[in-house]
Structure formats: structure tokens, C-alpha cells
Amino acid sequence: MIPWLTLAIALPAIGAAVIWALPRIKTPAGGAAAADVSAAAAASGQAGAGTATATKARPATGSASGDPALTAKRLALGFSLATLVLVAVMALNFDTSRAGGLQFEEVHPWIPHFGIHYAVGVDGIALVLILMSAILVPLVILAAWNEHADREDGGRGYFALILALEAMMIGVFAATDVFLFYVFFEVMLIPVYFMIGRYGRGADRAKAAMKFLLYSLAGGLIMLVAVIGVYVIGGTFLWTELTDPGGALAAIDPATARWLFLGFFIAFAIKAPMWPVHTWLPTAAGSSSPGTAVLLVGVLDKVGTYGMLRYCLEMFPAAVSWFVWPVVALSLVSIVYGAILAIGQSDMMRLIAYTSVSHFGFITLGIFALTQQAQAGAALYMVNHGFATGALFLVVGFLIARQGSARIEDYGGVQKVAPKLAGVFLIAGLAGLALPGLAPFVSEFLVFVGVYAFNPVPAVIAAVGVVLAALYILWMYQRTMTGPTPEKLSKLPDLSARETWAVAPLVALIIAFGVYPQPLLNVINPAVERTVEAETGTEVAVADGDAEGVEE
């Protein structure tokens, strides 16, 4: 049996190690500067508060073939593409008729004395999230090709960190041992911390990285207490045994189950992020390079919502009904509050981050509506949001690379001089507001249908977020892409071939899954059915308005 998941985790990890092992870039006598670092690339990642700072040229390293920075980029792209091919082949071998259960399972003793295993496996939801991660990483590498060329290491460290992060992302979605999940959950913070603090934008990037780290560590420590509690009561860390209806965790005292549920939920709510523990995201995204923001918002935040589905709902079904309405209320606040704050932003990176707070409100609302349509829509939303937001962040990154600014007021009339860039911006923006025919619409529609079946009132309130989404997206597009073109933008270059290759796959996926989402739903639905089955008694009670739920 081929260890698909182990290979998918190991391949990018090996790539990161190989890149780190490359010779360090040394400054030759005289400190000659590399001539191939463009001004646009130098501005990218160095601009803060809307103004590009002076460029520090990367030292010359000889011929291109002997340039460790260029070699690092090529290796990073090669390893990420190899990982994508591996994950794609694995997906083709996935049996959709058994998508509700775990496949490609591997269980090996890791620390036997404490019952800890290296255990991995995927159901339909985990599979599509791993596939989404594998697609986004090479596109981010391609888009960020010259983003950190002015650094002393030519961006070598950044590309190594991306591959290390990819290994952690695949691992966290694949883990079926709760302790192993916790390890991946925490270790993935390290590459993101350095990607923001060392390779971010603006003077406050170190503070933003620290805020991200502190919020995530606080949530992780709370979850660690819950993980220990689960082991003490359940006698194992294996998720398959902990979710067994006849297992020790199934007979847990209701009050204890609620506390353990809360320990996991707080960590996932911070990661998601939900209001009121969302404030780290706009700060981190606003100080990140666009490539980092894509992985931060497009993938890492999905760990929170995935964790709610996989761990909160399936391990503690008896506690779920007690938290349904509080979580629904927080989700509705996230939807409306995030959208309102997005409207008032002058920085495009922060604006997109606030839109994601709103979008994640829809996802958590769908998860805790406890209906099959809503949870299927929420799972599908995770994937479609990653593609749509990824495209939007990358296009904004291309603008920053050209002008050194993310401020909306520094643009205008871009569609006249860069029509391809403006076109991609429009498609990604329309996907963000869930326009029919584009992928997020199907997700949002399923969430609304499922939530309305659960209770019409939250569905009506959530609809306010749809109206506000049209406002913040179209207003941003109008101010940046339409109107007269300022003199400083009159020679703004359109998308290059490399940039086109970076965003074209995302545009194609947004349109393809908007027209025909069934391949994803065929994989997601059986896994969702399993989750809903675990909540059958709770679902009926909630639908009938019984806040106490059903305990058998």
C-alpha cells in the first residue's frame, strides 16, 4: 500500500530542507549589486503605509545558474508541483463511494507509553482541503517569484518557509490522532511567524507577527488542556476510537463534555477567526506579503472551521446543542461586523482580511445549523473561499509590486492601462460577493438553504452580509479600476506571463466550480452525512426549539 499522505507531508518538508541547505549568499568584495533586481520587485514587500522605501539591492552572486536564490525558487516550485501531482493522483485514487469514511489510513506507534500514534487518513472534506492547499502553494511561489529579491538571501528563506508550511498544512488536515493534530496545529505557527515578521510589509510587521503568534498560542494552550482531558477520559488519542458511539468518550458526563468542547472550540474560533477573537487577522494580513496572506487566509484559517467539523461536532455530540445558538449569534455578528469594517478600509489587504471575517461567519453559521445542506455548503465554502480570496490577494500583490502601495486612494483608472489585471480583479471580486455562476455562490446558497431549514431568522440576518459584500467589493473596484487614470499610473504594466500563469488557474477553478460544483459535492456530501448522523438527536431538538437538546 502506497503511503500517500506520508509522502505528501514529506515531499515539501524535504524541499524546505534542501533549500535551507543551499550555500549562503555572500557579498563579494566591493559589494557589487545584482543588476537583475527590478525596481517593481524591490518595492514589493518593502512598502509600508502606502509608500515604497528605499531599495536594498541583493548582492551579486555570479551567474544566474549559480545563484542560490534562483535555485531556491526553482526548487520550491519544483517540489510544490511534485506535491500537487502526488496529491492529485491520490485524489484520483480516492473512492467516492466511501467518501464518508477515512481512506489512505496509516497508523504507527509514535510514543507508545502515552498512547500517541502517527495516524493519518482523509475523508472527503479533508481531501478537498488538502487538494486546495496543494494547488495554492505553487501559485503563491510563482506569484512571489521576485517579491523578496531585494532581501539579503534573495528570498531563499521565504520559499523554504512556504514548503515547510505546506507540509504542516497537509499534516493538520490528515492527522487522525488528536495529539498529532495538536502538534501540526502548533508547529505551523512557526513558519507563518517568520513569513510575517521577516518577509512582511511595513514597519509594524514584527508586531503583527507577534500578535498572530500570541493569539494562536493562547488558543493552542487551551486546546492542549482539552486534549489531555480527552485522553484521560477516552484512554486514547485516536480520533476513530474517540468518535466510536460505543467508546468511553460517548458516555462522558454532559458538563465535562461541554468544557472539553469549549476548549477545542476557543482554539478553532481564534484560528477561524470569529468575532471577537478576530483582531489578529486584519493586522497580520495587512502586514503580510500578498503570498503569505493567501496561505494565511486561504488555508490556515480553514484549520479552525475544519476543526469544528471534525473534532467539536463529532467528538462531543452531546454538548453541541448547548452551544448552537451562542455560536450562531457569534457567526451573525462576524458576518455583519466584518462586512461593515471592510467598507471603511483604505488598505486593500486589510479590506480583504475583513471580508474574510464575514465569510468565515457564513462558514461557522453553516456548520452549527446542523443540517446536511448547511454543512455541505460550509465545507464547500472553505474550498471556494480559498480560491477566490487567493486570486484577490494575488492581484492586489501585483498592484503593490508595481506601485509600492496597498492604499485604495493611490489607484484609479487601472482598467484603461492594465485591462487583464483589472479583469482578474473583477472576477475575483465578484466571486467574493458570491455572484451566481462563480464558485462561492453555490456554497453560500447551500448555507442559506440549510440555515433557513434550521431557523429562518438567522438566514434573514445573514442576508445583510450579502448586501454589504456587494457594497465593499464594487466600491473598491470602482475606486481602483475605473475613472480617470492618474499620470503616475499611465505606464502601469499589465499582467506578465508569469503573473498570468499564477492567477489563471484560480480564475478557471472559480468559473468551473461555479458552473459545475458536483465533483466536489460528491466527495464532501458523504463526510457531511456522517457528521449529521452523529448529531441526529441534537438536530431534531434544535429544530424543535429545545435548547436543552436530546441526551440518551
Side-chain angles (χ1 to χ4, degrees):
M1 179 175 133
I2 300 175
W4 292 103
L5 292 169
T6 297
L7 292 174
I9 296 169
L11 195 55
I14 292 171
V18 170
I19 292 174
W20 278 116
L22 291 174
R24 294 181 61 85
I25 298 175
K26 298 180 180 180
T27 306
D36 62 342
V37 180
S38 66
S44 174
Q46 295 294 318
T51 305
T53 59
T55 301
K56 180 173 68 175
R58 179 167 58 87
T61 58
S63 65
S65 61
D67 185 352
L70 181 60
T71 302
K73 297 174 186 178
R74 291 172 174 172
L75 284 172
L77 183 60
F79 273 98
S80 65
L81 288 173
T83 303
L84 174 57
V85 171
L86 176 67
V87 171
V89 174
M90 179 183 74
L92 291 174
N93 283 275
F94 188 81
D95 185 355
T96 55
S97 66
R98 299 189 297 112
L102 295 178
Q103 299 183 40
F104 311 123
E105 285 189 89
E106 300 173 50
V107 180
H108 307 287
W110 179 18
I111 310 177
H113 184 70
F114 295 103
I116 300 173
H117 296 76
Y118 171 79
V120 291
V122 292
D123 60 5
I125 298 173
L127 178 70
V128 295
L129 290 174
I130 290 174
L131 187 58
M132 177 195 69
S133 306
I135 290 171
L136 287 176
V137 169
L139 299 181
V140 166
I141 291 173
L142 195 59
W145 197 259
N146 294 322
E147 198 170 88
H148 303 287
D150 57 308
R151 301 281 182 178
E152 291 182 358
D153 65 351
R156 181 188 66 170
Y158 182 74
F159 293 105
L161 289 170
I162 288 179
L163 290 181
L165 178 60
E166 181 178 22
M168 299 300 106
M169 293 188 301
I170 295 173
V172 79
F173 291 129
T176 57
D177 180 286
V178 178
F179 187 84
L180 180 66
F181 171 84
Y182 173 78
V183 170
F184 282 124
F185 186 88
E186 292 291 81
V187 173
M188 69 195 307
L189 304 179
I190 298 173
V192 179
Y193 172 80
F194 287 105
M195 288 167 72
I196 299 173
R198 179 175 173 81
Y199 297 97
R201 306 166 46 244
D204 293 332
R205 59 181 181 267
K207 293 181 180 178
M210 183 58 67
K211 186 175 183 179
F212 159 79
L213 187 65
L214 291 177
Y215 267 72
S216 299
L217 284 177
L221 288 175
I222 295 172
M223 186 171 73
L224 178 59
V225 175
V227 168
I228 295 172
V230 164
Y231 176 72
V232 170
I233 296 171
T236 180
F237 286 113
L238 288 175
W239 178 82
T240 50
E241 297 180 10
L242 292 171
T243 56
D244 184 353
L249 204 60
I252 189 173
D253 174 70
T256 304
R258 292 168 187 170
W259 282 110
L260 293 176
F261 174 99
L262 196 60
F264 281 92
F265 178 79
I266 291 174
F268 297 146
I270 292 173
K271 184 74 74 177
M274 289 184 68
W275 182 90
V277 288
H278 69 284
T279 56
W280 65 267
L281 179 62
T283 304
S287 298
S288 297
S289 65
T292 301
V294 171
L295 298 178
L296 181 65
V297 180
V299 182
L300 262 71
D301 290 353
K302 307 302 190 304
V303 175
T305 48
Y306 170 76
M308 292 177 191
L309 269 172
R310 171 59 64 85
Y311 295 96
C312 289
L313 266 60
E314 296 203 46
M315 288 202 307
F316 312 107
V320 173
S321 61
W322 203 81
F323 289 96
V324 165
W325 279 106
V327 176
V328 167
L330 291 176
S331 300
L332 293 174
V333 173
S334 296
I335 290 170
V336 178
Y337 179 79
I340 291 174
L341 287 187
I343 294 172
Q345 297 304 307
S346 59
D347 183 290
M348 287 184 283
M349 297 286 286
R350 290 179 63 88
L351 187 153
I352 301 170
Y354 274 114
T355 69
S356 295
V357 173
S358 183
H359 292 151
F360 276 97
F362 279 106
I363 296 173
T364 54
L365 179 62
I367 290 171
F368 282 85
L370 304 181
T371 63
Q372 183 175 342
Q373 297 98 326
Q375 288 191 356
L380 185 61
Y381 212 139
M382 294 186 218
V383 179
N384 292 334
H385 175 268
F387 293 144
T389 302
L392 203 52
F393 269 126
L394 290 184
V395 173
V396 170
F398 298 152
L399 287 172
I400 295 174
R402 286 157 170 75
Q403 288 300 113
S405 172
R407 294 181 64 83
I408 294 174
E409 63 187 22
D410 291 331
Y411 296 92
V414 172
Q415 67 177 9
K416 296 178 182 177
V417 294
K420 288 196 298 182
L421 190 152
V424 175
F425 194 103
L426 180 61
I427 293 173
L430 293 176
L433 62 84
L435 184 76
L438 300 178
F441 169 76
V442 182
S443 315
E444 205 164 276
F445 178 77
L446 286 173
V447 169
F448 272 111
V449 170
V451 172
Y452 191 87
F454 159 70
N455 191 295
V457 175
V460 172
I461 297 174
V464 175
V466 178
V467 178
L468 295 176
L471 182 58
Y472 59 65
I473 289 293
L474 295 178
W475 194 27
M476 177 175 64
Y477 181 83
Q478 180 187 41
R479 289 182 288 171
T480 55
M481 301 291 137
T482 66
T485 306
E487 179 63 27
K488 63 180 181 180
L489 300 179
S490 60
K491 296 183 179 179
L492 189 78
D494 207 346
L495 292 180
S496 66
R498 173 182 57 82
E499 291 169 336
T500 301
W501 276 105
V503 295
L506 295 178
V507 172
L509 289 169
I510 290 169
I511 295 173
F513 289 135
V515 175
Y516 189 61
Q518 201 58 45
L520 291 178
L521 289 173
N522 286 342
V523 177
I524 290 172
N525 276 329
V528 169
E529 288 173 7
R530 184 197 66 229
T531 304
V532 173
E533 282 178 9
E535 302 299 329
T536 300
T538 302
E539 181 183 354
V540 173
V542 172
D544 290 339
D546 181 5
E548 295 299 319
V550 174
E551 296 176 6
E552 299 180 348

